[in-house]
């Protein structure tokens, strides 16, 4: 609360936004929250499959009653659009009828067309801290219990293990939690009690986030140098 992004959302004046950060840290979730608080219809596209025709179809909607207040376009994996596609998108952004929220796991300075980048506010999302992930894991246990109608418990050391081994990725932590529940045999009373041993077996070794040619490569080298 009180930070720039929160203030933008509360003001109702949403600029073009680019969310940059690793997977599972809330980029799509924040985009959905912004869409829910705006009076603009939301369209979702993925850079791996979006075509020029998709952009034009969305643009045509701005001429209808539904799009009279503008359209919010959430574009996931924008780094997969080629330069020509990003130039076409730019044409639609300049007239203000489409507001873009784009997300990428790659540094936008290298993968997003400079003209699109200059017309957008860039927010970097960081890996989620283990204590915050633990909150999500406990919430997931409650959700799974309610959904299945069974009593599900998870030992606190199992919660902490999952929270520390998921590398700041909430989506991975939730998948780990669900897998642990499915891998636990219910007791004679029907209670599913997930132990640390089960969590260790299901999570295995923590995978260090690393990309051979990207930012993580240089971050790791920098960490070695500092140490």
């Amino acid at each position: 609360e009180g930070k720039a992004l929160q203030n933008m959302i509360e003001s109702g004046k949403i600029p073009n936004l680019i969310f940059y950060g690793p997977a599972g840290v809330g980029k799509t979730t924040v985009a959905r929250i912004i869409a829910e608080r705006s009076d603009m219809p939301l369209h979702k596209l993925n850079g791996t499959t979006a075509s020029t025709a998709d952009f034009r179809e969305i643009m045509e909607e701005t001429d209808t009653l539904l799009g009279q207040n503008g359209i919010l376009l959430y574009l996931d994996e924008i780094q997969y659009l080629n330069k020509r596609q990003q130039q076409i998108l730019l044409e639609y952004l300049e007239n203000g009828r489409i507001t873009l929220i784009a997300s990428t796991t790659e540094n936008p300075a290298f993968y997003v067309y400079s003209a699109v980048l200059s017309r957008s506010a860039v927010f970097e999302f960081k890996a989620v801290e283990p204590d915050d992930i633990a909150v999500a894991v406990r919430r997931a246990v409650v959700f799974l219990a309610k959904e299945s109608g069974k009593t599900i418990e998870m030992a606190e050391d199992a919660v902490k293990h999952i929270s520390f081994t998921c590398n700041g990725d909430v989506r991975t932590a939730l998948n780990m939690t669900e897998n642990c529940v499915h891998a636990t045999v219910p007791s004679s009373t029907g209670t599913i009690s997930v132990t640390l041993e089960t969590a260790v077996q299901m999570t295995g070794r923590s995978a260090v986030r690393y990309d051979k040619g990207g930012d993580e490569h240089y971050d790791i080298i920098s960490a070695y140098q500092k140490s």
Side-chain angles (χ1 to χ4, degrees):
E1 293 185 5
K3 302 297 183 180
L5 182 57
Q6 174 77 11
N7 293 340
M8 284 180 178
I9 296 172
E10 294 297 338
S11 72
K13 303 294 184 182
I14 309 300
N16 297 314
L17 299 168
I18 296 177
F19 294 159
Y20 154 50
V25 296
K27 301 186 294 297
T28 303
T29 299
V30 173
R32 178 178 52 78
I33 291 171
I34 292 173
E36 290 174 350
R37 296 197 179 189
S38 73
D39 57 356
M40 295 181 287
L42 174 67
H43 286 269
K44 297 180 181 179
L45 292 176
N46 190 291
T48 59
T49 57
S51 66
T52 301
D54 293 325
F55 295 133
R56 287 177 175 152
E57 182 179 341
I58 292 172
M59 187 60 186
E60 288 173 359
E61 190 175 308
T62 62
D63 294 325
T64 68
L65 186 62
L66 184 63
Q68 62 180 344
N69 294 321
I71 287 175
L72 189 64
L73 171 61
Y74 178 66
L75 180 58
D76 196 14
E77 306 287 3
I78 188 176
Q79 73 270 19
Y80 288 109
L81 294 185
N82 60 41
K83 185 176 180 180
R84 176 56 182 159
Q85 288 175 311
Q86 293 192 41
Q87 287 174 328
I88 293 172
L89 178 62
L90 178 64
E91 296 174 16
Y92 301 151
L93 299 181
E94 288 186 322
N95 61 28
R97 295 157 74 187
I98 288 182
T99 300
L100 173 70
I101 301 180
S103 69
T104 175
T105 56
E106 305 291 345
N107 191 327
F110 301 134
Y111 290 91
V112 178
Y113 182 48
S114 59
V116 174
L117 195 61
S118 67
R119 290 165 175 77
S120 307
V122 179
F123 287 91
E124 183 178 0
F125 283 55
K126 303 289 188 178
V128 183
E129 294 296 326
D131 288 346
D132 294 322
I133 291 179
V135 175
V137 171
R138 296 187 192 101
R139 188 185 303 149
V141 171
V142 173
F143 174 83
L144 290 170
K146 184 176 180 181
E147 185 181 52
S148 65
K150 300 176 181 178
T151 300
I152 301 176
E153 302 169 349
M154 179 173 285
E156 188 59 26
D157 52 4
V159 172
K160 291 182 178 179
H161 177 78
I162 292 173
S163 302
F164 275 93
T165 56
C166 68
N167 255 328
D169 185 330
V170 178
R171 188 182 303 115
T172 295
L174 297 180
N175 288 335
M176 287 179 177
T177 301
E178 187 172 18
N179 290 339
C180 286
V181 169
H182 293 326
T184 301
V185 178
S187 67
S188 57
T189 61
T191 299
I192 297 175
S193 299
V194 179
T195 64
L196 173 60
E197 181 182 4
T198 300
V200 170
Q201 290 175 358
M202 294 305 299
T203 57
R205 186 176 65 179
S206 174
V208 177
R209 182 177 288 113
Y210 179 73
D211 48 0
K212 185 170 66 174
D215 287 350
E216 295 295 338
H217 170 78
Y218 295 101
D219 288 346
I220 289 175
I221 295 299
S222 177
Y224 274 124
Q225 291 172 332
K226 290 175 182 176
S227 66

